[in-house]
Amino acid sequence: MSGLVLWKAEDGEEGAQRIAGRPAQAFWRRLRSSFRGVLLEPHRRAGDGRVSWSWTGPSDSASPGSAELADLRKRLAAGLVNLAAELERDEERGGGEALALHEGMQSLIGGLTAAPDAELAPFAVRTEMDWMIRSWGIVRPAAARRADESENELPAESVAALSAMVPAPLPALPVVAPADKKSAPGRRVVSWLLGGAVVLGLLALAYWGLREKPLKGLEAEPGQEAVLVSPPTASTAPAGGMSSAALHVGQEPFPTAAAGPVVPRIFSPQATASRLGGAPRSLEIPGKVVPVPMAYTGPISSPPEAEPRPPEVEADPNQGGHPDPVQASAGRVDQPPEGSDASRHEGFAEASSDLAGSAGVAQDALARISGERSVMPSEVTGRVGAQVRRDWPGSDSFGDLATASSSTGTSSPDAPVAVAPGVSGIAAQPKPVPAVPVKTNVGERDGAALLKPTAKAPAKAFRTRRAWTCRLGEWRLARTRDVALATVPSEVAAAGDAKEALATARRQAWEQVRAALPLSLRQPITRAGWVLVFTKATTAGGAPVWRMEPDGERRVQALAGTNRAELGWAEPLATGLVARLLGPDGVEWACVRVAEGGRTIAVHAGAEIAENAPWFEVRGGAVDASGRAAVEGFWRSLRSGWLDTRWQQDHSGEARRVYCFAVDPRAALPVEGVVALEHLPSGWALAREVQLDPSP
Amino acid sequence: MSCHKVARSFWPSVWTGAFSGAVLAAGLCFAACAGPARAPLAAAVVMVENHSGYLWQVEFFNRETTANVAAASVQLGPRERRRLALAPGGYRVRSWVAGAGEAERVSMPPRADAEVDLGGGRTYVWPLGTLLSEEAPDL
């Protein structure tokens, strides 16, 4: 079940990659923490300079498949990222060769990850736990052979050396003639020696018997077996005479409440817990750090929907983001009355500036995904407003378009792109959407009868094909990477001292990781929305339109292209809204209802919609008056049940957006996942739970 | 001399010799127990406690030897505690998360090695843990 591979790597030998003049394996101590579990540990022989790799694995040396090799490449790349972060810290402390090591490992790992399967496979070995890489830093790996076979195959020179070590026969002892019986003194001496030898022999036997027993302090407990941990070697034998082999006696489960492997769960939102009938693992207390098992959920907590927003958030042009809890807990200022001209105008201006920045991301993504970046019907640009779009989708043209649409208040059904932008409602007091139960011909089977009927209601029936309800959790800070605590053996006086030392180390580590929290995640500005992909691409003149309810809704960013439409809003959304997507013939294609401050999104889609998904965007919070923090990181799913392989990410300097398309549009619901913007170097992520349920 | 006479003079000598040897051995034994030779028997005991759910590996390297061979190398499963006995002396100690697939999720502290002096007859505790092993402290 074990294999052993020997590889000779001598100075100057072709095939051994060198970093800063030394073999790459010589840096294992610095690489170990980053590549543990991926790269096998090298062992260098002091005598001949050989580097050996040993591992325990199945006796049959099966070749790795493509999936295993792909996983190996992924882990290698992750290890390189970790190494870069660690070397960056070393560099700050004056580590001179960090740059050379990083470059060397970048080349080494890059060569491995870029190698085709046939070339990478010889490096891959199957250990007891997972596939790993051996002979790294070597161009051609040596052939692996079983360790037990190698033990019986001594090279000729070794046999000769062993033969030379066999001692020569001892010289024959002189034969002593029996003593004369008359010699009484001789007999007495013999008898003395005989008696003493017997006693000494008995004592020697007793002594060796005692040596077989455990040492003082190592008495094995009943039922436990003493195990030799490390065989004694001449090089490690101390001068004191005691065997240097460490003995460990017994192994016992550590008495803790938690058992089993720790999987760092990021968080378990209350919605899930309450739905499952369990107690919540976290407490949502705005402005306070709440300890959560296995994770740290930070102070990214938006105020409840019923609470007015703090004034500094309203004054921030980047509004829509979550206020800093410290600032949020500051005093509040009376807000201007809702609906006043001043508040509307101010909010409108804020909305324009906010949308101007985000429209580029949205439209770029929309155009790129739909493959129609330059498609914009000219009649739209001329009809919607006085400020004509310069480009479609231009970086700031959407803001102009939004301004025009809102100022004119037009929302005619014949407008190919109906835009109802603006986020002035964020600062307003929450106002529930009035439910007027009126019978309409629109989606009665979907519970859409509560929608306010208008004269612009679609003339044709809404053919609902599928319905979803998406529930969004609160944005939280989460740790995606654990940190080992730096501890050493220490002599303790009391039983609780060790735990106290560990708690101290953990507290210090928390302070360090908190200090490493990226600026962009401290006060992020978040947006959310929904994207609908059409079954068939429409023509430029036949693109659907969005219709907002209440009419003239200005808080929502709405886009509709020829094969894709999407809604978006800054979070939190103060009140609910209903958005209908109308086809060119007046048929309602989809209906999106947003409630609970944007936490609940109910979607009804007809046959015209092939696929739909929520999207999220994080923008860096304001660092100071000069600008915003650049957002770093990548979106990923933090739960295995929600695959992110089809997610579409759209990254710019200031924003990170993700469209969370399902792997299979007909995937079975519900989906309970966690979407996170992960910042790899710091191990922090901004995460929220997403639940997709089939609507009743 | 007759055989009887020889036997009568031989056995007392044997007993005398045995007694003398016993006294000598007892003295040696006493000296061995009370003198410097007792020191090797007093091992330094290190209790390694894994407070996390990961698989850990710990290694002790004797500082007095230059060979890169661990004097002790132990793997600890999740929530496991082990008792090690080591020869007194100075050691370099290392610890890391060794589980495949787990090591990627755990950053090791920048200073991987530490040096400790273990005294004979003394007991030490080495707790192993991670940031997320337990609840986050109320910072």
Side-chain angles (χ1 to χ4, degrees):
Chain A
M1 291 293 290
S2 62
L4 179 67
V5 136
L6 296 177
W7 178 262
K8 187 172 182 178
E10 296 176 343
D11 290 349
E13 185 181 5
E14 185 181 0
Q17 183 164 350
R18 305 181 76 81
I19 299 173
R22 294 194 299 170
Q25 299 85 14
F27 294 91
W28 173 245
R29 283 181 58 186
R30 300 187 72 176
L31 303 173
R32 179 176 50 205
S33 58
S34 300
F35 292 98
R36 186 168 305 283
V38 189
L39 300 180
L40 274 179
E41 180 175 3
H43 299 280
R44 177 174 293 274
R45 293 185 180 180
D48 56 2
R50 285 175 179 266
V51 178
S52 64
W53 318 84
S54 59
W55 67 93
T56 305
S59 56
D60 54 334
S61 57
S63 297
S66 298
E68 286 86 4
L69 293 176
D71 179 61
L72 265 176
R73 290 189 182 94
K74 188 175 178 182
R75 288 156 54 201
L76 284 169
L80 193 60
V81 172
N82 293 340
L83 177 67
E86 293 190 4
L87 291 180
E88 191 176 358
R89 289 195 296 267
D90 290 350
E91 192 75 18
E92 293 171 357
R93 291 198 305 269
E97 57 188 5
L99 183 61
L101 178 58
H102 182 250
E103 289 178 350
M105 287 307 294
Q106 210 167 13
S107 169
L108 195 156
I109 299 300
L112 287 173
T113 54
D117 287 359
E119 295 181 13
L120 181 61
F123 292 90
V125 293
R126 187 177 177 185
T127 65
E128 283 181 318
M129 289 173 264
D130 207 346
W131 288 90
M132 295 179 71
I133 295 290
R134 69 173 171 96
S135 301
W136 48 272
I138 310 294
V139 173
R140 291 179 183 173
R145 59 179 177 178
R146 294 166 60 111
D148 48 357
E149 291 174 354
S150 64
E151 290 174 0
N152 299 327
E153 298 173 1
L154 288 176
E157 57 270 24
S158 300
V159 174
L162 285 175
S163 302
M165 293 171 63
V166 175
L170 293 173
L173 294 174
V175 179
V176 179
D180 189 2
K181 293 179 181 177
K182 296 179 182 176
S183 175
R187 288 200 305 270
R188 190 171 296 123
V189 168
V190 169
S191 62
W192 272 71
L193 290 176
L194 182 62
V198 168
V199 172
L200 287 175
L202 290 174
L203 288 173
L205 286 176
Y207 171 72
W208 287 107
L210 284 174
R211 284 200 60 179
E212 293 295 326
K213 294 183 179 179
L215 297 173
K216 180 181 180 181
L218 293 177
E219 292 79 9
E221 296 176 12
Q224 293 179 338
E225 183 183 5
V227 180
L228 184 66
V229 176
S230 175
T233 59
S235 58
T236 57
M242 182 183 129
S243 169
S244 68
L247 293 174
H248 82 260
V249 179
Q251 53 192 46
E252 49 194 300
F254 196 71
T256 57
V262 174
V263 178
R265 297 184 59 181
I266 303 308
F267 55 78
S268 180
Q270 287 179 324
T272 305
S274 59
R275 198 162 65 83
L276 298 177
R281 291 169 63 95
S282 61
L283 297 176
E284 295 185 4
I285 304 175
K288 184 179 185 307
V289 176
V290 182
V292 174
M294 308 315 303
Y296 170 69
T297 59
I300 303 300
S301 56
S302 55
E305 188 182 1
E307 293 182 10
R309 293 174 58 82
E312 56 269 20
V313 176
E314 295 175 42
D316 186 0
N318 308 322
Q319 71 171 257
H322 298 272
D324 183 84
V326 178
Q327 297 178 4
S329 60
R332 302 176 186 275
V333 177
D334 291 337
Q335 302 175 8
E338 181 189 2
S340 66
D341 293 340
S343 66
R344 237 176 231 188
H345 179 71
E346 186 179 343
F348 179 74
E350 293 162 0
S352 299
S353 63
D354 187 29
L355 286 173
S358 61
V361 175
Q363 296 178 3
D364 285 348
L366 186 66
R368 187 173 63 250
I369 295 167
S370 62
E372 53 171 8
R373 181 180 178 86
S374 60
V375 176
M376 176 60 189
S378 58
E379 59 174 345
V380 176
T381 59
R383 186 183 303 165
V384 171
Q387 301 184 35
V388 179
R389 304 174 68 118
R390 295 185 297 270
D391 185 21
W392 172 264
S395 59
D396 57 351
S397 56
F398 187 78
D400 298 341
L401 183 62
T403 305
S405 175
S406 296
S407 61
T408 56
T410 58
S411 181
S412 61
D414 55 350
V417 180
V419 181
V423 290
S424 63
I426 291 176
Q429 293 289 341
K431 180 181 178 182
V433 176
V436 183
V438 178
K439 185 175 181 181
T440 68
N441 61 345
V442 179
E444 291 181 354
R445 53 180 290 196
D446 306 319
L450 294 179
L451 301 178
K452 181 181 177 182
T454 66
K456 302 161 189 171
K460 298 182 182 178
F462 178 34
R463 299 181 296 275
T464 298
R465 194 174 67 166
R466 296 195 68 179
W468 298 266
T469 299
C470 179
R471 294 183 178 85
L472 305 177
E474 196 175 355
W475 287 107
R476 294 171 182 275
L477 283 173
R479 287 292 306 173
T480 56
R481 189 142 43 91
D482 207 347
V483 177
L485 303 178
T487 58
V488 293
S490 58
E491 194 171 13
V492 294
D497 289 357
K499 283 192 173 182
E500 183 60 32
L502 196 64
T504 303
R506 181 173 288 113
R507 200 174 300 115
Q508 293 172 349
W510 270 115
E511 290 171 359
Q512 291 177 0
V513 297
R514 283 200 69 186
L517 178 65
L519 276 175
S520 58
L521 299 186
R522 289 182 193 270
Q523 290 180 270
I525 298 169
T526 61
R527 300 176 62 83
W530 202 266
V531 59
L532 302 158
V533 178
F534 308 151
T535 306
K536 290 190 298 183
T538 59
T539 59
V545 295
W546 283 105
R547 179 182 298 166
M548 300 298 161
E549 296 176 11
D551 199 7
E553 176 63 62
R554 299 186 305 167
R555 298 164 297 171
V556 177
Q557 170 191 3
L559 292 169
T562 53
N563 66 351
R564 181 172 169 134
E566 65 181 60
L567 287 174
W569 54 87
E571 295 182 296
L573 198 58
T575 58
L577 64 93
V578 177
R580 298 172 183 275
L581 186 68
L582 305 180
D585 53 355
V587 174
E588 185 173 305
W589 284 11
C591 177
V592 180
R593 289 181 294 164
V594 186
E596 300 178 11
R599 298 285 186 83
T600 303
I601 307 168
V603 180
H604 305 270
E608 295 82 2
I609 305 302
E611 198 171 1
N612 60 84
W615 65 260
F616 308 100
E617 181 185 284
V618 171
R619 304 171 66 83
V623 178
D624 50 26
S626 60
R628 296 170 170 173
V631 181
E632 302 173 69
F634 295 93
W635 291 97
R636 57 172 286 214
S637 169
L638 292 186
R639 260 183 213 167
S640 57
W642 197 21
L643 299 179
D644 53 10
T645 53
R646 278 201 69 229
W647 289 10
Q648 295 171 356
Q649 305 203 23
D650 191 55
H651 290 177
S652 68
E654 288 188 346
R656 295 282 189 273
R657 180 179 287 200
V658 62
Y659 296 87
C660 301
F661 286 107
V663 173
D664 182 1
R666 297 161 298 180
L669 296 176
V671 169
E672 292 185 2
V674 175
V675 57
L677 179 63
E678 183 182 27
H679 184 249
L680 273 176
S682 66
W684 282 105
L686 192 64
R688 85 184 318 176
E689 185 173 20
V690 179
Q691 296 180 36
L692 276 170
D693 294 307
S695 290
Chain B
M1 284 187 163
S2 66
C3 292
H4 177 71
K5 197 170 183 181
V6 169
R8 196 174 59 180
S9 62
F10 177 76
W11 289 113
S13 300
V14 168
W15 289 119
T16 305
F19 176 74
S20 303
V23 170
L24 178 63
L28 290 174
C29 187
F30 176 78
C33 295
R38 186 184 176 181
L41 293 177
V45 177
V46 180
M47 303 290 297
V48 188
E49 301 174 346
N50 182 5
H51 291 254
S52 75
Y54 300 111
L55 178 71
W56 281 79
Q57 177 97 22
V58 298
E59 287 180 350
F60 290 78
F61 294 86
N62 198 324
R63 283 208 307 258
E64 298 172 358
T65 60
T66 56
N68 193 23
V69 178
S73 178
V74 181
Q75 274 199 347
L76 287 94
R79 314 285 174 185
E80 187 181 353
R81 177 168 56 188
R82 288 204 181 186
R83 188 179 187 187
L84 305 177
L86 296 164
Y91 288 89
R92 282 186 294 111
V93 294
R94 298 176 186 171
S95 63
W96 65 89
V97 174
E102 295 175 340
E104 303 167 5
R105 301 201 305 261
V106 182
S107 296
M108 298 305 297
R111 189 171 59 90
D113 292 5
E115 294 190 351
V116 294
D117 290 319
L118 303 179
R122 297 186 174 181
T123 301
Y124 301 83
V125 178
W126 189 4
L128 305 173
T130 64
L131 189 72
L132 304 180
S133 298
E134 294 181 5
E135 293 185 0
D138 195 2
L139 297 174

